[in-house]
Amino acid sequence: MSRDNERPRDPAEASDGEQLALIRETVRKAKGERARPRTWRGAKLAGELPVARVLVDKGPVHLDKLWDYAVPAEMDAEARPGVRVRVRFGAGTGKVREGRREGGGLLDGYIIERVGESDYRGPLAALAQVVSPEPVLGPGLLALCRAVADRYAGSLADVLQLAMPKRNARAEGEPSPPPLPPPEPPAPGSWARYPAGPGFLEALARGDRPRAVWTALPGPHWPREWATAVAATLASGRGALVVVPDGRTAERVDAALTEVLGGPGRHVLLTADLGPEERYRRWLAVSRGSVRAVVGTRAAMFAPVRDLGLVGIWDDGDRSHSDERLPQPHARDVLLLRAVHEKTGFLLGDLGRTVEAAQLVENGWARPLEADREQVRAAAPLIRTVDEGEVARDAEARAARLPTLAWQTVREALTRGPVLVQVPRRGYVPKLACERCREPARCAHCSGPLEARDAEHLVCGWCGRDEPAWHCRECGGVRLRASIVGARRTAEELGRAFPAVPVRTSGRDHVLTSVPDRPALVVSTPGAEPVAEGGYAAALLLDGWALLGRPDLRAGEDALRHWLEAASLVRGHGDGGEGGDGRGGTVVIMAEPTQRPVQALVRWDPAGYAARELAERSQLGFPPISRMAAVTGPAEAVAELIASAGLPEGAETLGPVPLPPAPPGRPRRPGDPPPGEVWERALLRVRPGQGSALAAALKEAKAGRLARGEKDPAVRVDPLDIG
DNA sequence: AGCACGCCGACT
DNA sequence: GTCGGCGTGCTC
């Protein structure tokens, strides 16, 4: 049943709800005495629980406040908690002319609960319309959204905008398919390569809630391993949810689920590129309980899976797990909240390990799920480092700008299969660097990246100032070098050096999903690497130092993650890889071998790296042990918010400092100053264990201030980019 | 956000 | 006297 196209009617033929509102006007007109609410003589109200508490979704009042509306008798049956409604807001202040009310537009909202009477000491307006009887905001989802709002010092309405899919009347009008019975518990398959793997699956299958940080072995098995973990959970009669960073990965896991579950009926893929109608259709199938397993990208973290038994996240270090819309919740943390509130199992899978994951292991909340060294050695390729300053002896190698070892490795590997070449994305890394120590060249004013306008002039890429007398802040050097060669030029140069071999590129604009098991050079930016059907014979990781040189707390972690991702697509060293020719794959990384992320790659020891990083950050008072929040906005607004917040004992304020302008070209994000305005940012830091107190203080301070759009500073709990 | 109310100065 | 500036506060 669909009432989607029903518009508010002419007041002349107003519904019961409208009439109630009009009665209210009349009551108000009788000046002098305050109108008594809840005396609705003559108006037909719902007999039981005649008051609906409504969360107004959009519009001016995005406060975490519920508004009480009267439920007309005719809407009684449909106006259940969780349904979408439309209400008039601000009508009481509107003028009444010739019996027509003006002002007070219709706003969308959700009925949160039905109650017997209202605390509001005034006349209640009536619900204008029940948009549809579908209870889309169930108690579990509501509780989750509230928890996320609290955790991130945001409003419930903001979180609901992230969590709730757009309604589509056609999809809602269709019945969802009947649910299939739980499958049989799956065989462990390649989970047997992990000592604790089969036990983890058994725990899920018998209805327990194990929690693990899984360091996946390199190679092509992890999508299937995800599917097996989901299937084990389904076998217990519970549901499962897996969140991955991008649509391409979601499709791989989805395909594996179809194989493991023997068909498409028990799971859904939830990604943005399905389009709104299909997305809503699938979301409803989940909400109605006809499908209990979900794999999807970020927004799927809110999917209202019934009786959830397992939440999972893959590659939690990927930036796309963090929503850009306020309050910018991170999928890892949302799923952690779900694991706790909904009492589910938890699986964080990654080729590497983030510092946050290391913390979960360290404090004992999750157990490590790792393979033995033996298995790791067999599955990982051989990693060799090479100093990219080394002068190539061969003429061809010089032409391709490759050191001899890299050149020889590529040439040899090309006889056995495809070779992956990873090139940092332009714009992601500094364009110029000190020739001596490779410190990125930064603007003295705003620390933006310097660029060469021509042979003579340096210009800041952010603020546009000239830099006439650059010298290196680290070593005092005065000579610069172009830092990286872009993917396209790399592809051209390699194509000339290996004329007989096809060169393919994969990057931001066109991402290849896979390449066949034939000799080819595949030039890719991090994160866009195609899977090679028998594994790559070799990989070349170029400009490692440039990735490491980013002025970011997470530069080392990110670099290692990108390298592991590329290297995991290369045939294993010990077993020659699946479909290989019996000889193992090699990775050549052009980076300084003494750097810790480089050593971690060579030893294939992401867990050890993350543990050290965690210890170091803990000592320095950095997240995630200490918790932080960034407050960004016009200088006075930032200062006022911080001053008015009852910050927890021992909280430190770092800054505020002027915010560098957003790099041109990037779409504006919350916390970016509008063009032409100068904003500041302050960081708040609290001791371990006080994160929720910090969020609560900020939320309260925000609520205390008048909601005045742009003048209100943006609050970001757990900022990712703190330099 | 709108939209009222309200308390001040400049005008017919 | 009254018109209208935009500073506060309310909207179920």
Side-chain angles (χ1 to χ4, degrees), chain A residues 214-217 313-317 348-354 561:
Chain A
W214 163 35
T215 306
L217 285 163
I313 180 168
W314 173 249
D315 194 10
D316 66 311
L348 183 158
D350 196 353
L351 291 164
R353 182 172 294 181
T354 59
R561 194 164 56 77

Side-chain angles (χ1 to χ4, degrees), chain A residues 358-366:
Chain A
Q359 191 187 12
L360 294 176
V361 172
E362 162 137 341
N363 66 25
W365 193 82

Side-chain angles (χ1 to χ4, degrees), chain A residues 188-278:
Chain A
S190 54
W191 273 115
R193 299 180 301 163
Y194 303 85
F200 186 80
L201 295 180
E202 284 160 22
L204 289 174
R206 70 169 172 260
D208 284 356
R209 42 195 200 108
R211 301 188 293 243
V213 168
W214 163 35
T215 306
L217 285 163
H221 300 295
W222 55 265
R224 178 92 183 208
E225 285 155 6
W226 271 117
T228 307
V230 169
T233 312
L234 289 178
S236 72
R238 299 174 298 170
L241 166 63
V242 179
V243 177
V244 302
D246 54 73
R248 202 172 56 138
T249 309
E251 280 163 24
R252 286 178 72 188
V253 176
D254 179 63
L257 274 165
T258 305
E259 273 180 39
V260 169
L261 297 172
R266 289 191 176 94
H267 68 283
V268 284
L269 173 70
L270 273 186
T271 60
D273 37 51
L274 293 169
E277 181 179 337
E278 181 58 19

Side-chain angles (χ1 to χ4, degrees), chain A residues 46-233:
Chain A
E48 298 260 311
L49 307 180
V51 175
R53 311 206 72 213
V54 174
L55 185 102
V56 176
D57 181 33
K58 289 189 194 68
V61 203
H62 58 278
L63 302 166
D64 277 8
K65 187 175 160 32
L66 300 183
W67 304 85
D68 292 353
Y69 284 84
V71 180
E74 61 157 21
M75 297 186 195
D76 186 20
E78 292 192 340
R80 309 319 305 176
V83 304
R84 299 180 204 258
V85 289
R86 287 225 262 236
V87 293
R88 282 200 187 280
F89 198 86
T93 63
K95 282 172 286 192
V96 177
R97 241 181 257 153
E98 299 162 32
R100 289 168 186 256
R101 185 178 38 257
E102 309 201 343
L106 282 173
L107 293 179
D108 294 320
Y110 302 91
I111 294 185
I112 300 301
E113 56 180 339
R114 289 274 300 266
V115 292
E117 50 185 273
S118 171
D119 294 340
Y120 181 59
R121 310 264 63 195
L124 296 189
L127 297 173
Q129 186 192 359
V130 175
V131 175
S132 91
E134 184 89 33
V136 287
L137 182 58
L141 183 51
L142 176 64
L144 172 65
C145 290
R146 284 202 158 119
V148 171
D150 289 345
R151 163 88 223 272
Y152 284 93
S155 73
L156 177 59
D158 281 348
V159 176
L160 282 180
Q161 300 224 10
L162 306 180
M164 301 305 290
K166 212 178 144 284
R167 183 177 120 87
N168 178 284
R170 192 179 315 155
E172 206 172 71
E174 302 164 2
S176 295
L180 294 175
E184 288 301 307
S190 54
W191 273 115
R193 299 180 301 163
Y194 303 85
F200 186 80
L201 295 180
E202 284 160 22
L204 289 174
R206 70 169 172 260
D208 284 356
R209 42 195 200 108
R211 301 188 293 243
V213 168
W214 163 35
T215 306
L217 285 163
H221 300 295
W222 55 265
R224 178 92 183 208
E225 285 155 6
W226 271 117
T228 307
V230 169
T233 312

Side-chain angles (χ1 to χ4, degrees), chain A residues 214-568:
Chain A
W214 163 35
T215 306
L217 285 163
H221 300 295
W222 55 265
R224 178 92 183 208
E225 285 155 6
W226 271 117
T228 307
V230 169
T233 312
L234 289 178
S236 72
R238 299 174 298 170
L241 166 63
V242 179
V243 177
V244 302
D246 54 73
R248 202 172 56 138
T249 309
E251 280 163 24
R252 286 178 72 188
V253 176
D254 179 63
L257 274 165
T258 305
E259 273 180 39
V260 169
L261 297 172
R266 289 191 176 94
H267 68 283
V268 284
L269 173 70
L270 273 186
T271 60
D273 37 51
L274 293 169
E277 181 179 337
E278 181 58 19
R279 188 186 184 142
Y280 193 53
R281 181 173 290 116
R282 295 184 185 191
W283 188 92
L284 283 173
V286 175
S287 173
R288 292 166 177 174
S290 71
V291 171
R292 324 198 74 181
V294 174
V295 56
T297 45
R298 191 176 61 213
M301 66 190 173
F302 291 105
V305 178
R306 294 271 184 94
D307 196 11
L308 197 55
L310 175 70
V311 290
I313 180 168
W314 173 249
D315 194 10
D316 66 311
D318 192 298
R319 292 287 175 117
S320 52
H321 280 307
S322 186
D323 208 300
E324 297 212 331
R325 293 169 295 164
L326 287 170
Q328 302 180 281
H330 193 288
R332 184 207 305 113
D333 295 315
V334 173
L335 294 178
L336 280 167
L337 286 171
R338 291 193 79 160
V340 172
H341 283 104
E342 299 175 51
K343 298 186 169 34
T344 78
F346 178 85
L347 183 59
L348 183 158
D350 196 353
L351 291 164
R353 182 172 294 181
T354 59
V355 177
E356 287 82 0
Q359 191 187 12
L360 294 176
V361 172
E362 162 137 341
N363 66 25
W365 193 82
R367 303 205 1 219
L369 184 38
E370 295 164 320
D372 297 333
R373 285 312 299 175
E374 205 90 339
Q375 286 279 0
V376 174
R377 264 195 296 277
L382 176 69
I383 315 276
R384 307 189 63 173
T385 62
V386 58
D387 177 6
E388 30 83 57
E390 181 206 320
V391 180
R393 287 187 294 276
D394 321 61
E396 296 99 321
R398 257 203 310 282
R401 305 219 243 167
L402 293 180
T404 303
L405 172 65
W407 163 263
Q408 285 172 349
T409 303
V410 171
R411 192 178 52 187
E412 189 276 329
L414 278 173
T415 65
R416 298 187 290 121
V419 171
L420 176 66
V421 181
Q422 187 192 61
V423 183
R425 240 177 50 214
R426 261 184 193 289
Y428 191 60
V429 296
K431 295 191 169 71
L432 291 171
C434 171
E435 187 184 66
R436 191 155 18 137
C437 74
R438 302 211 180 111
E439 181 67 16
R442 312 213 139 265
C443 171
H445 253 98
C446 74
S447 294
L450 291 180
E451 293 164 17
R453 174 181 292 163
D454 50 53
E456 299 291 308
H457 293 92
L458 292 174
V459 181
C460 172
W462 287 356
C463 69
R465 285 193 178 86
D466 279 337
E467 177 54 86
W470 177 85
H471 67 271
C472 176
R473 289 183 200 173
E474 287 298 308
C475 74
V478 292
R479 290 174 64 97
L480 285 165
R481 43 170 280 160
S483 67
I484 62 161
V485 179
R488 184 184 296 169
R489 178 133 155 248
T490 303
E492 283 166 12
E493 289 176 357
L494 287 169
R496 276 200 295 278
F498 299 95
V501 179
V503 181
R504 316 196 54 187
T505 58
S506 180
R508 225 168 145 64
D509 323 335
H510 46 272
V511 175
L512 297 174
T513 302
S514 67
V515 295
D517 191 19
R518 283 197 294 275
L521 280 157
V522 180
V523 180
S524 172
T525 55
E529 295 90 350
V531 176
E533 278 151 24
Y536 289 98
L540 207 55
L541 309 177
L542 298 180
D543 292 315
W545 64 274
L547 279 179
L548 291 174
R550 287 170 53 223
D552 189 311
L553 187 64
R554 293 177 143 81
E557 189 183 323
D558 279 346
L560 177 57
R561 194 164 56 77
H562 287 141
W563 296 335
L564 290 168
E565 195 181 341
S568 75

